[in-house]
Amino acid sequence: MASCLLLLSPLILLLLLISASRSTSDSNPTNGFCSVEYDGELSSSSGRILIKQGTVVNAHHMEVADVYIEDGIIVSVRPNIAVGDDVKVIDAAGKYVMPGGIDPHAHLEMDFMGSVTIDDFYTGQAAALAGGTTMHIDFVNPSNGTLSAGFASYKVKAEKSVMDYGFHMVITKWDDAISEEMELMVKENGINSFKFFMAYKGSVMINDELLLQGLEKCKSLGALAMVHAENGDGVVVGQRRMIDLGITGPEGHALSRPPVLEGEATARAIRLASFVNTPLYVVHVMSIDAMEEIAKARQSGQRVIGEPVVSGLTLDESRLWNSDFTTAAKYVMSPPIRKAGHDIALQNALAAGILQLVGTDHCTFNSTQKLLGYGDFRKIPNGVNGIEERMHLIWDTMVESGKITASDYVRITSTECAKIFNIYPRKGAILEGSDADVIVLNPNASFRISAISHHSRSDTNVYEGRTGKGKVEVTISGGRVVWEDENLKVTAGSGKYIKMPPFGYLFNGIDQADARYLASLNAPVLR
């Protein structure tokens, strides 16, 4: 892939902004700064594959075995499988054979803050496959005020998909029509999760009344409520404070929305979910403050899922103080990347099971788009990359360091996501009958991350220059070898939409808990 790293002054970028800042990702997979061509033909290994003598790793056990794949399905997992000559054989001796990663949190081709994310369902998913992720779940935003129009729009966007995908749905307002559409999304369209923003006032932020109505509706549908937890009113005050102090650069973004605002919103969402007695999923947990609220809730028995993202686990906020605007702005996301120390605390919480799975919040804007906020950090499009880098960075940070085992790694990058969103064991497992989404990871191989070599369309990478141990050498998606020998072979339209049924394991026992609550009221009293 050609180098996409542009070293331009803010003045030149401002001139480019006139013509480029609002250009969108269209159906051409090579549109934008990072033009890249992929092989348009299906891999010749799309039929039968035998992975030999690898250590097969599931979330519950490890064993040395062969894995035989046919027609997109794992047919057999056992030692010494014999096959004929018409089977592609992959030697995995000394390597790990694992279920492909599932990224629960990404935003491809999303309209946001005056721009559109630079990666679409082609380039973003291609990057994911090169990094060992074989499924992602994107967030559908309403269109023209309706969920159905938003769903239809995203289905069109996903026509160019190159791997399997699912959808969450964002709720930004409340009325009877939205309530009815939520039922349609769950019962007919395979969506079992709805996201509520507690930040971005004046845009997608909802108040507590709407959140309570949404929580109750989610509970009745067996759908998981998700929250972006920041105090939106507090953020507005913080932003105004920074502007008044003359702090207009990217550092103002982090200073305007400190951890206390994330912790407060997380605590509030948890308590409201407890009041309704429904499970809660907190997306992109970035701070000790939020993590500690989740820990307290889980210790008390409440069903709360905490999702850290790879940027929060591996970076710190110091980069936002870089004197070069382009460098600093690429790290702007919400909630912000925190001070050093939060990353280690989140790693430890993940290792201890306080946090359950790792996403990316892959939401990429190139350097020209980020320049929309030059002189006013409030206008910098929020988002960083990570869909290609997640599997490598989490292995190096968590497994190579000794914090977790290989089985734990499979759990936090794949299996737990499949279980939470009710698609296990079709996804998230190396088992007979599971989809053939498989990776081969070499723990002794090294990786290096750079915008010059990554497969995202973005011209920057927040993990630029990062090296580590543990490299995905083979990715199999839907029974096709799509990544091998540093070569990526993907086909637009080959990805499938995965419907996710309601009432996953987090809803087990909810009815009984409600019955106990009603029995405890000792009311109404006859008078």
Side-chain angles (χ1 to χ4, degrees):
M1 172 180 167
S3 172
C4 304
L5 192 58
L6 303 179
L7 300 177
L8 301 176
S9 70
L11 178 60
I12 295 174
L13 285 174
L14 276 170
L15 293 174
L16 287 173
L17 183 60
I18 296 173
S19 61
S21 65
R22 289 181 178 268
S23 63
T24 62
S25 304
D26 61 19
S27 60
N28 177 8
T30 63
N31 181 49
F33 271 114
C34 295
S35 296
V36 57
E37 295 283 355
Y38 297 111
D39 191 329
E41 297 181 357
L42 281 171
S43 167
S44 60
S45 60
S46 59
R48 301 173 180 176
I49 304 169
L50 179 66
I51 307 172
K52 288 196 64 67
Q53 298 182 332
T55 300
V56 176
V57 186
N58 280 296
H60 56 287
H61 77 287
M62 297 168 53
E63 61 176 329
V64 176
D66 298 346
V67 178
Y68 178 61
I69 294 166
E70 187 170 327
D71 296 329
I73 301 295
I74 297 173
V75 175
S76 182
V77 183
R78 57 181 175 82
N80 304 316
I81 298 175
V83 295
D85 295 335
D86 60 342
V87 176
K88 177 180 175 63
V89 177
I90 298 172
D91 182 5
K95 302 173 186 179
Y96 292 114
V97 180
M98 302 172 167
I102 306 173
D103 186 347
H105 191 154
H107 301 278
L108 302 181
E109 201 174 333
M110 179 183 71
D111 294 89
F112 186 56
M113 294 186 71
S115 198
V116 180
T117 53
I118 200 71
D119 279 322
D120 59 19
F121 277 77
Y122 185 90
T123 61
Q125 290 188 349
L129 291 171
T133 288
T134 54
M135 178 179 173
H136 91 286
I137 311 177
D138 214 289
F139 289 86
V140 173
N141 293 304
S143 180
N144 298 319
T146 74
L147 307 187
S148 296
F151 181 81
S153 171
Y154 269 75
K155 287 292 286 183
V156 172
K157 292 179 182 182
E159 287 177 355
K160 62 176 79 72
S161 64
V162 299
M163 70 181 191
D164 291 355
Y165 62 96
F167 287 145
H168 312 291
M169 178 66 73
V170 176
I171 303 296
T172 60
K173 68 174 187 177
W174 192 262
D175 55 33
D176 289 343
I178 292 295
S179 178
E180 292 172 4
E181 281 198 294
M182 286 177 69
E183 292 191 34
L184 175 70
M185 293 300 115
V186 172
K187 295 176 180 178
E188 296 187 18
N189 292 336
I191 289 176
N192 66 3
S193 50
F194 295 89
K195 182 180 181 181
F196 302 86
F197 282 88
M198 303 173 76
Y200 298 112
K201 188 172 183 177
S203 175
V204 294
M205 174 179 160
I206 53 92
N207 59 27
D208 287 355
E209 180 183 11
L210 191 155
L211 179 56
L212 279 165
Q213 290 171 317
L215 289 170
E216 289 179 331
K217 188 64 178 182
C218 283
K219 179 181 179 178
S220 71
L221 295 172
L224 184 57
M226 313 174 81
V227 290
H228 172 130
E230 289 181 287
N231 186 307
D233 292 315
V235 168
V236 171
V237 172
Q239 290 174 331
R240 189 181 308 124
R241 180 186 299 165
M242 293 305 112
I243 296 297
D244 289 346
L245 290 171
I247 302 171
T248 62
E251 70 278 9
H253 178 76
L255 294 170
S256 69
R257 44 209 314 155
V260 64
L261 298 184
E262 186 186 355
E264 185 281 331
T266 302
R268 180 159 38 100
I270 287 171
R271 283 159 176 77
L272 292 179
S274 175
F275 176 64
V276 175
N277 187 31
T278 195
L280 183 71
Y281 184 115
V282 183
V283 303
H284 47 42
V285 177
M286 298 294 285
S287 67
I288 294 171
D289 304 53
M291 178 270 289
E292 288 181 341
E293 296 295 340
I294 292 168
K296 287 188 292 185
R298 289 180 61 84
Q299 188 175 25
S300 72
Q302 191 173 345
R303 299 172 190 203
V304 179
I305 298 295
E307 170 210 89
V309 291
V310 66
S311 54
L313 291 163
T314 63
L315 299 174
D316 67 72
E317 70 173 16
S318 61
R319 296 161 177 83
L320 289 163
W321 272 257
N322 193 291
S323 59
D324 175 66
F325 176 86
T326 299
T327 299
K330 72 180 179 180
Y331 294 98
V332 170
M333 65 172 293
S334 295
I337 298 166
R338 304 300 187 183
K339 290 182 182 293
H342 287 267
D343 52 344
I344 302 303
L346 294 176
Q347 292 172 24
N348 292 337
L350 184 62
I354 294 168
L355 304 174
Q356 286 70 51
L357 75 169
V358 180
T360 62
D361 197 6
H362 183 88
C363 185
T364 48
F365 297 96
N366 64 20
S367 56
T368 305
Q369 292 171 304
K370 290 279 189 175
L371 198 65
L372 283 165
Y374 188 75
D376 187 346
F377 66 83
R378 296 171 297 182
K379 298 178 181 178
I380 301 172
N382 290 192
V384 302
N385 62 286
I387 203 167
E388 182 172 0
E389 298 81 9
R390 178 182 72 129
M391 299 291 281
H392 291 126
L393 288 172
I394 296 304
W395 180 273
D396 185 63
T397 301
M398 300 298 294
V399 183
E400 186 67 24
S401 67
K403 289 180 182 289
I404 64 173
T405 67
S407 284
D408 292 329
Y409 173 81
V410 168
R411 175 177 53 81
I412 65 175
T413 61
S414 184
T415 307
E416 188 61 25
C417 183
K419 288 183 175 180
I420 288 170
F421 295 104
N422 213 14
I423 52 174
Y424 180 88
R426 176 181 180 182
K427 302 290 187 183
I430 305 292
L431 297 172
E432 293 180 5
S434 297
D435 285 358
D437 296 338
V438 182
I439 62 173
V440 178
L441 184 146
N442 185 346
N444 298 312
S446 298
F447 65 85
R448 185 180 188 279
I449 297 170
S450 175
I452 294 174
S453 57
H454 72 196
H455 296 83
S456 166
R457 193 182 272 150
S458 177
D459 61 333
T460 64
N461 193 306
V462 295
Y463 309 103
E464 185 68 40
R466 174 72 181 262
T467 61
K469 293 286 292 295
K471 183 171 177 57
V472 175
E473 294 185 337
V474 179
T475 303
I476 298 169
S477 174
R480 299 185 305 274
V481 176
V482 294
W483 174 254
E484 186 178 28
D485 298 327
E486 300 292 314
N487 292 316
L488 187 61
K489 286 189 175 184
V490 294
T491 304
S494 59
K496 301 187 300 295
Y497 175 59
I498 305 299
K499 289 187 174 183
M500 299 180 289
F503 294 103
Y505 83 88
L506 290 168
F507 285 86
N508 293 345
I510 290 288
D511 289 345
Q512 293 90 324
D514 284 343
R516 289 193 299 271
Y517 165 73
L518 292 173
S520 72
L521 296 179
N522 296 318
V525 176
L526 296 177
R527 292 183 175 88

